[in-house]
Amino acid sequence: MRRTSSQPHPTLPKALTGITGFDEITGGGVPQGRPTLVCGDAGCGKSLFAMEFLVRGATQFDEPGVLVTFEESADDIRKNVASLGFNIDQLVKRKKLVIDHVVVRREEIDENGEYDLEGLFIRIAHAVSTVKARRVVLDTLETLFSGLSNEAILRSELQRLFHWLKSQGLTTVITGERGQGQLTRQGLEEYVSDCVVLLDHRVIGQISTRRLRIVKYRGTVHGTNEYPFLIDEEGISVLPITGASMDYSISNERFSTGVPELDEMLGGKGLYRGCSTLLTGTAGTGKTSLSLHMAEAACERGERVAYFSFEESPQQLVRNARTIGINLQKHVDSGKLVFHSARPTTSGLELHLVRMHKIVQKLKPSMVILDPISNLSTAGSLEESTAILVRLMDYLRKSKISCIFTSLVTGGNAMEATDEGLSSMVDAWLLVRDVESAGERNRVLYVLKARGMAHSNQLREFHITPKGVRLTPAYLGQGGVLTGSARSAQEAREAAEVQLAADELQRQQLALEHRRSAIDSQIATLRATLAAEEQDFHRIAAVHEAKIKQAVADRDAMIRGRSSNRSAKNS
C-alpha cells in the first residue's frame, strides 16, 4: 500500500554519543539497540571514539556501559583516557561502567568445529546485568579472531555475535582494523552492522589530518561527506561541512570600527553586525593595527572577540598594540579577548577549522578576526584554503558573528584581487596600499566595496600614530595624490601663498586706512576754515546791521529835529 503524505514516516531510534559534531551529522547519534562498526587504520582514534561513546553515555545520558577489550588492560585504558579528563575509576565505583579485559591466546583455541563465542556471550551478559548497561563496546575484533584461520567458523561466529548483541537491545560500538581493499580485515562486519563509521588518518605534505565518514547508516538519512575531526584534551570534535543553503537571518545593526574616520567613510555608521570584512594590503601597511582597533572597540562595547593569529604570538600583539595607544591586556585579563596563535603548518587546514569552531562555540564571540588568511595556503593548496575559509565564513554568518579577514597581497594591479578568491564573497572590502612619491612610501586606504552601505570613494591617507590609527583626506596635487613630505611641502607652499595674499591684503587695508585718515584730516581742516569764515561773516553782518540801525536812528532823529523847528517858526 502506498504511503500518503499525511502519514508520518517512522523514525529510527538513535542514541546520542555526546561526541561534538558527530551527533549533528548523523541526526542524533548511532542506531539505538543496534551494532555500529567503527573502523580505520591504526592510530586513527577508533578506541578513543568508542571510549568517549561509553563515558559520555554514562555521564551525560545516564546510560551505563560495558567495555570489553581484547588488547589493552583496564589499567592501560585508565591511563590513556586520564588526559582527557575521564575519571574511569569513579565511573566504575558508581557502577556506571564495567571494564572486562578478555585475553585471547591462540594455543587455547580449538578449531575442530566446536569453537564458539558462548563464553564471551556469558561474560558480556554478566557485565551488562551488573550495571544494567545500555551500551557495549568491543575493542577490537581482530584480536578476538586472530587465532582463527577457518573462515567459515569465523564468519559464522561473527554473525552470531552481532545478532546476539542486537537481540539484547544493546547499543553497541565495535572497533575494527581496516583491511586490504575492504573496510575491515574480515570484510563481514561492515555488512552485518547497521551503521559503519570510517576513520582516516592521512599525512599530506608532512601534515597529518584526521577525517570521518559515515559509510552506511540503515534506515536513516545521514551526511556522506568526509568530515575533519580533532582529538584534543576534550576528546573528539567533528566538524560538519557547511551546507550550500544561504537561507540565514541578517542584522541591520551597525558597529564602530574603532576608527572614527573609517566609520565616516562607511556612511558614518560603521559596518553591519554579522558581516564579513576583508582587509588587504602589502606588508607593513597596517592591516593588523586596524584589526586590533576593531578588536578593542568591540571589547570596549562589552563584547567578546576571538583573534586567530597565524604570524604573531599573543604577547607580541599586545605589546605592539600598546605602542599605538591600544591597551589589550585588560581585555585579555577580563576574558573578553581571546588570542589563539598557531602556525598553519602545525596541522592540516581542517584541524585548524575544527579548533576555530571549538573556540567560537565555547567563547560565543560577537567578532572573529583571522590575521592573515594568506598564510593558510602554506598548510595546503590554495583551493583547500579557500574552501576552509568559505565554510568558516558561512558558519560565522549564520551565527551573526562579524568576521574580519586580513590578507597579504602583492603590488600592482593584483592588489585589487586576492589569492583566496574571497573578494566577491565578503560584504566589505578595505584596501590599504603604499603610495611612493618624493622618495617616500606612505599609506592610503580606500573602500572597494561595502554591500548595503553608503560609502566614500575617496582615498584617505593612513597614519599609524602613538594614539592609534588616523585617516586624513588624501591631498590632490598637480601630479595626483600627495602624501607624506610631498604633501607637507605642498601644504607649506600653499600656506605661504595664502600668507602672502593675506599680508598684501593687510597692506592695502592699512594704506586705505591711512588715506581715510588723511582725507578725514583734510575734511576737518576745511570744516574749521568754513567755521572761521562763517564766524567772520556773522561778525561783519552784525556790524553792517548795526550801522543800518544807527543810520535809521539818525535819520529818525533828524526828522524829528526838523519838525520841531518848523513848529517854532509858525508860532
Side-chain angles (χ1 to χ4, degrees):
M1 180 178 179
R2 187 175 181 179
R3 184 184 300 276
T4 61
S5 58
S6 61
Q7 293 175 316
H9 293 276
T11 58
L12 180 71
K14 298 181 180 181
L16 293 170
T17 63
I19 297 175
T20 304
F22 181 82
D23 293 335
E24 284 76 13
I25 63 177
T26 54
V30 296
Q32 185 176 350
R34 300 187 182 191
T36 295
L37 173 65
V38 178
C39 55
D41 296 325
C44 63
K46 302 183 298 296
S47 298
L48 178 59
F49 184 100
M51 198 67 214
E52 190 166 354
F53 161 74
L54 286 180
V55 173
R56 302 293 184 194
T59 56
Q60 298 180 11
F61 311 115
D62 194 27
E63 292 189 0
V66 171
L67 170 62
V68 180
T69 173
F70 304 104
E71 288 185 337
E72 297 179 289
S73 65
D75 187 56
D76 289 337
I77 292 173
R78 290 187 183 92
K79 294 177 181 178
N80 293 342
V81 300
S83 60
L84 303 178
F86 297 160
N87 193 336
I88 300 299
D89 291 332
Q90 186 67 23
L91 291 176
V92 172
K93 187 179 298 183
R94 293 169 49 200
K95 292 188 177 181
K96 292 289 186 179
L97 180 65
V98 172
I99 300 178
D100 188 3
H101 181 208
V102 179
V103 179
V104 179
R105 295 183 176 87
R106 182 179 180 86
E107 60 271 15
E108 296 178 359
I109 298 177
D110 182 11
E111 294 192 50
N112 57 10
E114 298 177 357
Y115 174 80
D116 59 41
L117 298 179
E118 197 63 38
L120 179 62
F121 297 163
I122 295 174
R123 292 181 69 162
I124 295 176
H126 174 72
V128 167
S129 63
T130 301
V131 296
K132 298 181 180 179
R134 303 281 301 279
R135 303 184 177 205
V136 172
V137 166
L138 303 181
D139 184 36
T140 67
L141 283 183
E142 278 68 33
T143 305
L144 177 62
F145 294 106
S146 61
L148 288 177
S149 58
N150 190 318
E151 186 175 344
I153 295 178
L154 187 149
R155 287 179 173 272
S156 174
E157 289 303 299
L158 193 59
Q159 267 187 319
R160 197 160 73 93
L161 172 63
F162 275 67
H163 291 160
W164 181 82
L165 291 169
K166 197 171 183 178
S167 67
Q168 299 299 311
L170 297 170
T171 305
T172 309
V173 169
I174 302 168
T175 65
E177 294 288 341
R178 192 168 186 176
Q180 293 292 333
Q182 52 193 13
L183 294 179
T184 58
R185 293 180 183 177
Q186 279 72 40
L188 179 64
E189 305 96 312
E190 55 200 85
Y191 298 105
V192 296
S193 298
D194 290 87
C195 177
V196 178
V197 180
L198 175 63
L199 303 184
D200 178 36
H201 188 193
R202 66 191 70 170
V203 178
I204 301 176
Q206 299 180 345
I207 298 175
S208 66
T209 302
R210 287 184 169 90
R211 291 183 174 90
L212 177 149
R213 181 164 67 94
I214 311 298
V215 177
K216 84 170 186 179
Y217 202 140
R218 289 174 179 161
T220 184
V221 177
H222 61 279
T224 57
N225 294 316
E226 281 192 327
Y227 303 94
F229 71 94
L230 171 70
I231 297 177
D232 59 11
E233 66 279 359
E234 296 180 355
I236 294 177
S237 298
V238 183
L239 178 64
I241 294 179
T242 305
S245 173
M246 291 189 291
D247 184 16
Y248 51 84
S249 61
I250 60 172
S251 172
N252 293 320
E253 182 184 354
R254 305 278 284 271
F255 66 89
S256 172
T257 62
V259 181
E261 298 86 358
L262 181 55
D263 292 342
E264 180 185 347
M265 295 181 70
L266 296 168
K269 299 178 182 180
L271 297 165
Y272 279 116
R273 186 170 300 281
C275 77
S276 55
T277 302
L278 178 63
L279 178 59
T280 61
T282 53
T285 50
K287 303 180 295 297
T288 298
S289 297
L290 190 54
S291 64
L292 292 174
H293 258 293
M294 295 183 182
E296 183 202 28
C299 293
E300 290 292 337
R301 293 191 297 267
E303 303 170 8
R304 289 186 289 272
V305 177
Y307 197 112
F308 298 96
S309 172
F310 303 114
E311 287 185 339
E312 300 175 271
S313 68
Q315 294 80 6
Q316 189 176 5
L317 289 167
V318 171
R319 182 203 63 189
N320 295 346
R322 193 180 299 115
T323 63
I324 59 174
I326 301 176
N327 182 9
L328 295 180
Q329 189 60 51
K330 64 177 182 179
H331 301 306
V332 173
D333 295 339
S334 66
K336 293 178 183 176
L337 177 60
V338 173
F339 285 107
H340 180 79
S341 297
R343 294 290 183 189
T345 52
T346 57
S347 60
L349 291 175
E350 287 87 355
L351 295 189
H352 278 292
L353 186 57
V354 173
R355 289 192 180 97
M356 287 188 282
H357 265 254
K358 289 191 66 175
I359 293 175
V360 170
Q361 290 173 352
K362 184 177 180 180
L363 182 63
K364 292 181 173 54
S366 64
M367 179 182 292
V368 169
I369 300 174
L370 271 69
D371 178 34
I373 59 174
S374 46
N375 276 24
L376 291 175
S377 58
T378 61
S381 66
L382 184 59
E383 292 76 11
E384 289 175 334
S385 63
T386 300
I388 291 296
L389 291 171
V390 171
R391 287 157 61 184
L392 179 62
M393 186 188 305
D394 286 344
Y395 168 72
L396 295 176
R397 278 175 171 172
K398 291 180 180 180
S399 303
K400 294 184 180 179
I401 299 174
S402 306
C403 53
I404 311 296
F405 300 136
T406 71
S407 179
L408 177 68
V409 295
T410 56
N413 295 330
M415 289 191 65
E416 296 192 3
T418 60
D419 293 337
E420 297 79 17
L422 293 181
S423 55
S424 63
M425 302 179 190
V426 295
D427 300 302
W429 185 6
L430 311 178
L431 194 151
V432 186
R433 65 181 177 90
D434 289 322
V435 175
E436 185 173 349
S437 63
E440 289 184 343
R441 293 175 67 90
N442 297 287
R443 307 174 182 92
V444 294
L445 179 146
Y446 54 99
V447 181
L448 272 77
K449 64 183 288 190
R451 289 173 177 162
M453 293 173 272
H455 57 280
S456 172
N457 62 351
Q458 294 182 340
L459 281 77
R460 296 290 185 96
E461 191 168 358
F462 187 97
H463 301 280
I464 300 177
T465 73
K467 295 184 179 180
V469 170
R470 291 293 175 265
L471 304 178
T472 56
Y475 194 86
L476 294 178
Q478 293 181 352
V481 177
L482 298 180
T483 60
S485 61
R487 172 177 179 164
S488 300
Q490 181 64 23
E491 287 178 337
R493 285 192 294 270
E494 292 191 356
E497 292 175 359
V498 171
Q499 186 61 43
L500 287 174
D503 292 344
E504 177 62 20
L505 182 63
Q506 186 177 13
R507 186 190 66 77
Q508 292 182 3
Q509 184 177 5
L510 289 174
L512 182 62
E513 292 294 334
H514 292 158
R515 180 64 175 164
R516 181 181 290 108
S517 298
I519 293 175
D520 288 343
S521 297
Q522 291 177 358
I523 292 174
T525 301
L526 292 174
R527 288 183 184 279
T529 302
L530 180 61
E533 290 177 354
E534 286 180 345
Q535 288 180 357
D536 290 343
F537 172 77
H538 290 307
R539 180 177 57 77
I540 293 171
V543 171
H544 182 68
E545 184 178 359
K547 287 181 178 181
I548 292 175
K549 288 182 178 180
Q550 186 63 41
V552 171
D554 292 345
R555 188 190 65 181
D556 290 343
M558 184 179 64
I559 293 173
R560 285 194 301 272
R562 289 179 179 178
S563 177
S564 297
N565 291 334
R566 191 181 295 119
S567 297
K569 290 179 179 182
N570 290 335
S571 59

